[in-house]
Amino acid sequence: MKKSLSLITVCLLFTLSGYSFTQIVTVQNHVFTPASFTINIGDTIRWVYVNGTHTTTSLIIPAGATTWDHPINSSNTSYTYIAVKTGTYNYKCTFHYAMGMKGSFTVVCPQASAQISAAASTTFCQGSSVVLKSSVSSSITSYQWKKNGTNITNATSASYTAKTKGAYTLTVKNSCGNSAT
């Protein structure tokens, strides 16, 4: 849905979505907990030792993703991996795979989103201005501000200084190519 930002009233253009987070996977008693989950691209997975001697070892992962093989034990109490490719990642404990100690996670690309606000009053006298700012979801790679539906030349950052009346919108695109206006 396309909404406008009038210099008289500030309207929200987008809904703020989640930022990167860390998914904790406990390693104990021949199981990974949780055994499967879904995260966003750029999120972190941290395997954390509880007891036993284990590994976290990649099995089948998306093309271009980095493989891993790391011990999880009393000397190596955690391992951290950042997911940079979308798809399903399957992994195992090398020592206990025959006993069913395996896990998987799916990495998805979130929708692009942002919240827009004005740094000051949107009603001002001729010759003045107001800064329009956007708080965005993670992984935004491009911005384009528009006035009355037309691209504003060189207005390609998270903020824009409006000097004339009009309806302002912002289109953002994230690292996966998803966009929102």
Side-chain angles (χ1 to χ4, degrees):
M1 172 184 345
K2 185 175 178 180
K3 295 182 181 178
S4 295
L5 176 69
S6 159
L7 286 181
I8 298 183
T9 305
V10 177
C11 298
L12 293 180
L13 290 178
F14 308 100
T15 303
L16 186 62
S17 72
Y19 289 94
S20 294
F21 76 96
T22 300
Q23 172 68 54
I24 303 295
V25 178
T26 59
V27 183
Q28 67 177 335
N29 300 330
H30 307 109
V31 295
F32 294 108
T33 305
S36 66
F37 52 90
T38 300
I39 58 172
N40 289 327
I41 195 165
D43 286 345
T44 300
I45 302 96
R46 182 174 297 132
W47 288 269
V48 178
Y49 167 81
V50 176
N51 64 33
T53 298
H54 306 283
T55 68
T56 176
T57 305
S58 58
L59 283 170
I60 301 169
I61 62 174
T66 302
T67 60
W68 71 91
D69 182 15
H70 197 291
I72 303 290
N73 53 45
S74 60
S75 298
N76 298 286
T77 59
S78 70
Y79 174 68
T80 301
Y81 184 86
I82 298 173
V84 296
K85 298 286 183 181
T86 58
T88 300
Y89 294 67
N90 295 287
Y91 62 94
K92 68 178 181 175
C93 170
T94 302
F95 306 121
H96 304 109
Y97 183 60
M99 299 170 73
M101 190 171 183
K102 61 184 177 178
S104 68
F105 57 92
T106 302
V107 178
V108 297
C109 188
Q111 290 299 313
S113 65
Q115 183 178 24
I116 190 170
S117 62
S121 173
T122 56
T123 302
F124 53 85
C125 297
Q126 187 173 358
S128 294
S129 62
V130 63
V131 176
L132 307 175
K133 295 191 278 185
S134 177
S135 300
V136 298
S137 60
S138 60
S139 302
I140 297 299
T141 57
S142 71
Y143 304 83
Q144 180 59 64
W145 288 90
K146 297 180 181 188
K147 177 182 171 190
N148 300 325
T150 303
N151 286 353
I152 303 170
T153 304
N154 297 322
T156 56
S157 67
S159 64
Y160 176 74
T161 302
K163 297 178 182 178
T164 59
K165 69 180 181 177
Y168 290 84
T169 58
L170 174 64
T171 299
V172 294
K173 184 182 283 189
N174 67 16
S175 59
C176 301
N178 295 332
S179 63
T181 299

